[in-house]
Amino acid sequence: MTDAPSTRTVPSDPDGTTEAQLPLDREPHLSLVKAVLAWTDTADLRESDLAQIALQLTGHTQIVAADLRRRAAALPEDSKRRVLVDVVLAEADRRLSMPAQGTLACCQNRARLVRALYERLDRVAGLAPRATTAS
């Protein structure tokens, strides 16, 4: 018996252009952020529930950070806005280097990170890069 050739295709998008065209699923995640930041007691949640929420927020954080990186790359290198984006992204990278845990503190830290990234993204969104003129 011979193996049949595979009919699956794996898309190749090394520049992330497909992902860049997809809108962020902002509202459900911001609702989750708001809820998580309002929690003071998680007695009715299991550790596995909190771990799942932390993973959900982590994944969305990575998506928002990637979008912010793409937009920041279009800004001039000496732009003050780009410097601030770089600071926020460096902090996001630092926080995301720690594994997600099933704790209230972890969930709230990830929620704050999502909120901070969206705030910076909103400030950068719609800004066109400066056109360079040849002298």
Side-chain angles (χ1 to χ4, degrees):
M1 177 182 233
T2 62
D3 290 332
S6 174
T7 57
R8 291 185 330 178
T9 15
V10 178
S12 176
D13 186 19
D15 298 324
T17 54
T18 302
E19 185 179 278
Q21 295 171 1
L22 298 174
L24 293 172
D25 199 11
R26 181 183 273 223
E27 291 310 315
H29 287 92
L30 288 179
S31 293
L32 179 60
V33 164
K34 186 176 180 180
V36 167
L37 292 176
W39 290 343
T40 56
D41 179 26
T42 58
D44 57 337
L45 292 172
R46 297 182 307 217
E47 183 179 340
S48 61
D49 295 330
L50 291 169
Q52 185 63 41
I53 291 166
L55 287 174
Q56 178 70 28
L57 291 170
T58 298
H60 196 68
T61 297
Q62 292 167 337
I63 291 168
V64 177
D67 190 31
L68 187 55
R69 275 188 181 86
R70 278 190 298 276
R71 291 175 189 255
L75 295 172
E77 294 220 11
D78 62 345
S79 166
K80 291 178 184 173
R81 290 179 193 252
R82 185 167 180 172
V83 170
L84 291 172
V85 168
D86 290 342
V87 169
V88 170
L89 288 172
E91 178 63 15
D93 290 342
R94 187 189 68 75
R95 288 190 198 179
L96 290 173
S97 70
M98 295 179 268
Q101 299 173 347
T103 65
L104 175 59
C106 180
C107 289
Q108 289 182 331
N109 284 334
R110 299 294 160 113
R112 286 185 199 96
L113 187 53
V114 169
R115 186 176 61 187
L117 288 168
Y118 268 124
E119 286 171 1
R120 185 54 42 201
L121 184 64
D122 288 345
R123 290 186 178 121
V124 171
L127 294 177
R130 263 190 247 161
T132 57
T133 56
S135 315

